[in-house]
Amino acid sequence: MVFKYVYGSPVETEAVIEPAEAVKGDIPFFHIAGGAGDKGIYEFSYSMSPGDKIFGLGEQVRGINKRGWIYESNNTDDPEHTEGKRSLYGAHNFFVVDGKDTFGAFFDYPGKMTFDFGYSRGSEIKVTVPEGNFTVYIITAEDEEISPIETKILTVVKQFRRIIGRSYIPPRWAFGYQQSRWGYKREEDIYETVKKHKEWGIPLDAVYLDIDYMEGFKDFTVNRERFPHMEKMIGDLKAEGVKVVPIIDAGVKIEPGYSVYEEGIKNGYFCRKEDGAYFTGGVWPGRVHFPDVLNKEARQWFGRCYEELVSMGAEGFWNDMNEPALFYSEDGLKEIYKKAETMDSSDMNLNDFLELTPLINEIANKARDYESFYHNIDGKMVRHDKVHNLYGCYMTRAAAEYLEKASGDKRKLLFSRSSYIGMHRYGGIWTGDNKSWWSHLLLNVKMMPSLNMCGFLYCGADVGGFGDNVTEDLMLRWLEFAIFTPLFRNHSALGTRRQEIYQFENAKAMREIIRLRYRLIPYLYSEYMKAVFSFDMFFKPLCFVFDKDEQAAQAEDQLLVGDSIMIAPVVCQNQTGRYVYLPEDMLLITFSTAEDMDLKPMKKGHHYVTVWEHEVIIFVRKNRLLPLAPPDNVTGDALPEDLQLIKGPGEKAAYVYYNDDGYCTDYKRMKKTVVVDKAGNREYID
Ligand code: MIG
C-alpha cells in the first residue's frame, strides 16, 4: 500500500506520476518533531531494532545496507567519492527499512536534506527536511497485485517503482561496449580509437565526444578546425556499427553572436537573480548563464537545441555538469577582487591572508550562489536552492522530450550525471568522476542495486575509473564486473594513463571479457526489459530474494543479476580467488575466454572459488537457465534457436526470452517471447 502525506505546499517535482490521494492523519512508523509553521525544520525519527537494515538512496557512498552513516541529498560536482562524503551527484530520497517493520519512505523534496541512518544515535533514523513544503510517501509490503512469492522488501520496491513510472529504455546497441576518453581532441583521435578496436577484434558500439569537440566549450557547436567533417565522421562510423555520442554541458557561454546565447537572452530563458539580472556562473566556457529548465517553455527551447547535433547524425547524448556545477560565480569573483584590493594597502598579516584564501579555495559550488538565483516555475519565482536537486533531471528531461518528438518511434541513448527520482523515465545515469581505485570498483557493485530501487536501470560507472591511473589487473577485474552493467563504458580523465583496452599487455584477455559481454547481451537485454515492464530490479542484493537467510544479508559484494544468475566479482588486488556465499545450490561457470568454459555444480553454503585474473565467473541459479548468444553475435539480435542454454541445478527450468528490434518504441511489437525448458524444447508465446 502507498500512503501520501503532504506538508505545506510543495513544489511539483513530478517524481511520482501515479495520482494518489493524500492521507489525512498521522504518518505511520515515524515520530515527527519540529515543523512549526511553514518555515520550521521537520525531523522524522524511527527507532530501529539491532538487526534492522536500510537499503536505498540510489547514488550514494558506502554500503548496500546503508545503516550507520549520515547521507545528504545535495547534488554536487565533487570528484572525491570517499567514505567521508555525504552526497554525490544525485538525490534519490527513497529508502526501505527491513527488520521488525518492513516499509519504504520517499521524501519528495528537491532541496538539500539529510538522512541520518544511525550515525548520531545508533538505533535511530532521523530524516531532516529544512522547511515545511514537501511530500512523503510511505509504502508498506501489503499488495495484492504482487505475487506472494515475492519478498516483502521487493514488494515495497515494486510498488514504489510503479508510482514513479516506467524506467527509460535505451536502444539495444547501448548494451554494447562503449569507449570514451576526455582528451580525444580531433577527428583523427576518434577514427584512430575505432580503428584500433577493429584491428584488435574488440567489439565496439559507441565512441564518445567529450568537451573538446565543441568550439570554445559552447553547447551545440562544433570546432570545425578539429572536427572539419563531423557529419561524415558520424556517418562513416555508423556504417561500421559505431555510434558517436557527444557531451552537452549545462551552462551556456555568454558570447554575443552565439545563437544559443542570443536566443536565451531574447526570450528570457536563463535563470535570473532577485534583481532580474541573469545569474552568471563560471564553468568550462568561462562565464555562462544557466537555461531555466524548470520553466516549461525554456525547457522546450533547450531541448530543441539538440537538433543541431541530431541533424549531424548523433543518436545519443550524455549530459554533464548539471548539478549545476559552478567553478565560480560572478559575485564570488567580485568578492575576491574587492578583498584583494583592500589588502593591497594592508600589511597583509596572516589573519588578512587567511581571510582571502578561503574566498578563493571555496569559490566552487557555493551554497550562497545557489541561493542567489531563481527559476520561473509556471510563473512563480522559486529560489534555486529550494529545487536544486531537480536541475539535472529537468535538463535531461528537456533533451528526452525533444528527442522523443523528433525521432518518431526510434529510441535514443541519453544519460546524465546529475539526477532526481523521476529522471529515470527520461534517461540513465553514469556515476560521475570515480577513480581508478579498487574501492571504487566495489562502490560500483554496491551502487547498482540501490540505483535500481529508485528506478534507474540504465546505469554504469566509468569502467577502469575516471581519475587516477589504472593498473592492468584493476582494468581486468573492472571489466569482469562491468560486463553485467547495462551501461558499459570505459571512460577516463585527461592526463591519466591511457585506458583503451589495446593499450594494455593483457589486451587479448580484456578483449575476451568484452566478447563474453556480447554473448550475454540477449540475457541482459531480456532481463532489462522484463525488469522495466514489471517494475523489478535488474541488480538485486541477495537478501531481496533470500530474505530469511541472515548470511545472504551479509553479502555486500555479490549480486543477483536478473532472474537466472548471481555474480561475485573479485574486487581486491592480488587476489586469485575469493570467498562466495551461495544461498542455494548453483552451477558455477568459469569462463577463461568468451568460448571456453568450465562447469561445476556447487552446494548452498560458503565456498572459496579460484578466479584467475583473466577469468569471469557466473553462478546459474537453481531451476534457472542462462541463455548465451553464439560468439561474435555482435548485434544482440540472436534468434532463440541460436541461444546456448546453460541450466542450473534442479529438475525444472524455463526461460522467458524477450527480444525486439532493439530500436522502436512500440514495445508491444516485441518479436518473441520464448519459453525454453531444460531439454531445450522451445515454446513460442505471443
Ligand atoms: O570538469 O567534460 O564527469 O566525465 O570527462 C570536468 C570533462 C568535466 C566531468 C565529467 C567527466 C568529463 C569531464 N567533465
Side-chain angles (χ1 to χ4, degrees):
M1 296 278 278
V2 179
F3 305 94
K4 176 182 180 182
Y5 300 87
V6 179
Y7 296 80
S9 34
V11 169
E12 181 48 78
T13 65
E14 294 184 50
V16 171
I17 53 167
E18 187 158 296
E21 279 295 310
V23 181
K24 301 251 167 0
D26 290 343
I27 199 162
F29 305 113
F30 291 102
H31 170 78
I32 303 178
D38 255 5
K39 292 209 180 65
I41 295 170
Y42 274 83
E43 286 177 349
F44 292 73
S45 310
Y46 174 78
S47 167
M48 288 186 280
S49 296
D52 285 6
K53 298 178 263 297
I54 311 169
F55 303 100
L57 295 190
E59 186 182 41
Q60 263 293 2
V61 295
R62 299 210 173 209
I64 291 178
N65 181 351
K66 300 225 106 56
R67 185 168 176 168
W69 186 240
I70 178 166
Y71 304 88
E72 256 171 28
S73 284
N74 183 30
N75 295 354
T76 310
D77 173 19
D78 178 351
E80 305 295 324
H81 308 172
T82 46
E83 222 173 277
K85 291 296 160 71
R86 295 180 177 188
S87 69
L88 298 169
Y89 311 89
H92 308 142
N93 303 347
F94 171 63
F95 63 92
V96 178
V97 177
D98 187 41
K100 92 177 161 309
D101 303 308
T102 300
F103 67 94
F106 173 49
F107 284 79
D108 190 7
Y109 174 69
K112 177 172 161 178
M113 63 173 295
T114 312
F115 299 87
D116 183 335
F117 288 166
Y119 166 75
S120 301
R121 296 187 57 222
S123 64
E124 190 183 51
I125 291 179
K126 190 184 274 179
V127 179
T128 308
V129 193
E131 59 148 315
N133 303 301
F134 57 93
T135 307
V136 185
Y137 295 85
I138 298 291
I139 300 142
T140 59
E142 297 88 46
D143 184 70
E144 313 78 50
E145 283 182 52
I146 291 172
S147 92
I149 55 162
E150 220 101 71
T151 60
K152 278 188 181 177
I153 183 159
L154 207 53
T155 306
V156 170
V157 171
K158 285 190 173 182
Q159 288 185 89
F160 176 63
R161 290 275 305 284
R162 212 181 299 150
I163 65 166
I164 60 173
R166 199 181 75 194
S167 301
Y168 160 77
I169 299 173
R172 193 178 51 223
W173 62 260
F175 284 75
Y177 181 59
Q178 316 190 40
Q179 177 60 47
S180 183
R181 166 95 179 164
W182 179 14
Y184 295 153
K185 282 206 159 56
R186 325 181 66 89
E187 243 169 56
E188 295 79 35
D189 300 333
I190 301 292
Y191 276 114
E192 164 88 358
T193 299
V194 174
K195 195 174 114 220
K196 281 276 174 52
H197 280 81
K198 299 271 154 179
E199 279 170 15
W200 280 85
I202 305 164
L204 182 71
D205 264 282
V207 62
Y208 280 67
L209 299 179
D210 207 318
I211 44 176
D212 296 303
Y213 81 86
M214 298 180 200
E215 185 195 298
F217 304 125
K218 286 184 298 211
D219 276 342
F220 314 112
T221 67
V222 173
N223 182 315
R224 288 295 177 180
E225 193 206 313
R226 287 188 267 125
F227 288 84
H229 321 96
M230 183 71 139
E231 298 81 350
K232 181 174 180 309
M233 180 186 80
I234 295 176
D236 286 352
L237 296 181
K238 204 177 282 185
E240 291 187 46
V242 181
K243 309 289 192 290
V244 175
V245 184
I247 195 171
I248 301 295
D249 278 7
V252 170
K253 185 178 170 74
I254 299 177
E255 186 186 277
Y258 163 42
S259 65
V260 181
Y261 165 77
E262 295 284 359
E263 283 168 30
I265 292 288
K266 195 177 83 206
N267 298 298
Y269 288 154
F270 296 122
C271 293
R272 296 176 194 269
K273 298 199 292 183
E274 198 168 9
D275 63 8
Y278 292 119
F279 171 77
T280 300
V283 211
W284 282 100
R287 289 182 170 84
V288 300
H289 292 325
F290 289 101
D292 186 0
V293 285
L294 294 178
N295 166 346
K296 192 162 180 222
E297 221 182 283
R299 180 162 75 241
Q300 286 171 349
W301 160 72
F302 193 71
R304 281 196 303 275
C305 294
Y306 285 73
E307 146 85 73
E308 188 69 23
L309 288 152
V310 169
S311 70
M312 295 180 197
E315 292 182 37
F317 294 92
W318 51 311
N319 284 344
D320 190 20
M321 306 303 274
N322 50 4
E323 291 68 33
L326 282 175
F327 293 163
Y328 60 81
S329 71
E330 187 74 73
D331 292 343
L333 284 180
K334 279 193 191 134
E335 207 180 344
I336 294 173
Y337 302 151
K338 217 166 92 199
K339 187 88 199 164
E341 225 170 284
T342 65
M343 287 179 160
D344 203 20
S345 54
S346 78
D347 56 5
M348 196 63 165
N349 62 34
L350 191 67
N351 284 338
D352 285 339
F353 184 69
L354 289 179
E355 275 175 33
L356 178 67
T357 45
L359 290 182
I360 299 168
N361 294 338
E362 291 156 30
I363 193 169
N365 309 320
K366 232 187 186 157
R368 210 174 344 125
D369 287 325
Y370 291 125
E371 288 160 15
S372 75
F373 64 94
Y374 292 76
H375 296 276
N376 175 352
I377 306 180
D378 299 324
K380 213 173 122 198
M381 298 313 277
V382 179
R383 210 171 75 186
H384 175 79
D385 59 307
K386 307 268 183 201
V387 289
H388 173 71
N389 293 334
L390 286 180
Y391 194 88
C393 167
Y394 275 74
M395 176 193 176
T396 300
R397 180 170 170 175
E401 286 174 341
Y402 163 73
L403 293 173
E404 200 179 313
K405 227 184 279 156
S407 53
D409 71 344
K410 203 169 161 197
R411 305 175 212 167
K412 288 280 184 345
L413 172 63
L414 181 63
F415 59 90
S416 173
R417 192 170 72 178
S418 184
S419 57
Y420 187 81
I421 290 175
M423 203 200 82
H424 68 286
R425 301 191 298 271
Y426 300 103
I429 64 178
W430 96 99
T431 59
D433 298 346
N434 62 359
K435 295 249 184 350
S436 298
W437 296 346
W438 292 86
S439 59
H440 279 182
L441 165 55
L442 179 57
L443 188 61
N444 187 186
V445 175
K446 293 178 182 193
M447 235 188 244
M448 292 297 115
S450 314
L451 282 165
N452 286 186
M453 288 174 72
C454 299
F456 296 95
L457 297 188
Y458 190 74
C459 326
D462 288 349
V463 177
F466 176 75
D468 265 347
N469 297 316
V470 75
T471 58
E472 295 235 10
D473 52 354
L474 178 58
M475 196 70 220
L476 279 160
R477 292 308 194 191
W478 211 316
L479 288 166
E480 288 163 18
F481 167 65
I483 55 169
F484 299 98
T485 63
L487 168 59
F488 179 32
R489 184 182 74 141
N490 179 341
H491 180 51
S492 53
L494 194 66
T496 59
R497 180 180 186 173
R498 291 299 291 256
Q499 212 165 277
E500 297 85 359
I501 295 317
Y502 49 79
Q503 310 280 0
F504 296 96
E505 272 178 64
N506 285 296
K508 286 205 176 111
M510 294 179 191
R511 177 190 67 200
E512 288 307 305
I513 300 165
I514 295 168
R515 287 181 66 230
L516 176 57
R517 158 69 167 215
Y518 281 79
R519 297 201 66 190
L520 288 165
I521 287 179
Y523 174 70
L524 299 175
Y525 185 70
S526 172
E527 293 304 298
Y528 185 94
M529 297 299 277
K530 288 187 287 180
V532 167
F533 291 112
S534 58
F535 303 103
D536 202 349
M537 294 163 67
F538 178 84
F539 285 112
K540 292 186 193 86
L542 271 46
C543 62
F544 280 38
V545 172
F546 302 95
D547 63 336
K548 303 280 180 306
D549 180 339
E550 262 312 308
Q551 306 199 32
Q554 308 303 312
E556 288 265 344
D557 58 355
Q558 297 177 214
L559 295 172
L560 298 165
V561 184
D563 191 47
S564 296
I565 63 174
M566 180 183 83
I567 59 169
V570 174
V571 294
C572 291
Q573 189 158 28
N574 299 319
Q575 290 196 337
T576 52
R578 54 161 291 167
Y579 291 93
V580 181
Y581 177 65
L582 272 56
E584 64 182 6
D585 293 356
M586 292 183 178
L587 175 77
L588 166 65
I589 318 175
T590 304
F591 290 90
S592 49
T593 68
E595 285 96 8
D596 300 323
M597 57 176 114
D598 197 57
L599 306 180
K600 185 178 169 204
M602 295 182 87
K603 289 283 170 212
K604 171 180 156 79
H606 292 276
H607 296 271
Y608 180 82
V609 178
T610 298
V611 195
W612 298 108
E613 218 169 63
H614 62 287
E615 289 178 339
V616 175
I617 56 168
I618 297 178
F619 296 86
V620 185
R621 290 183 56 194
K622 196 173 163 186
N623 302 326
R624 302 291 201 282
L625 292 169
L626 172 65
L628 288 175
D632 302 319
N633 176 283
V634 289
T635 61
D637 195 21
L639 294 171
E641 302 77 43
D642 300 335
L643 298 174
Q644 180 180 355
L645 299 170
I646 302 179
K647 189 185 145 291
E651 277 310 302
K652 303 181 302 267
Y655 183 74
V656 177
Y657 175 48
Y658 172 95
N659 204 3
D660 56 24
D661 65 4
Y663 261 109
C664 80
T665 52
D666 184 3
Y667 308 108
K668 286 193 215 82
R669 265 179 12 210
M670 79 165 80
K671 267 208 276 189
K672 50 237 160 188
T673 294
V674 183
V675 178
V676 201
D677 71 13
K678 76 156 185 187
N681 298 316
R682 293 149 203 244
E683 188 191 337
Y684 297 77
I685 299 171
D686 288 330

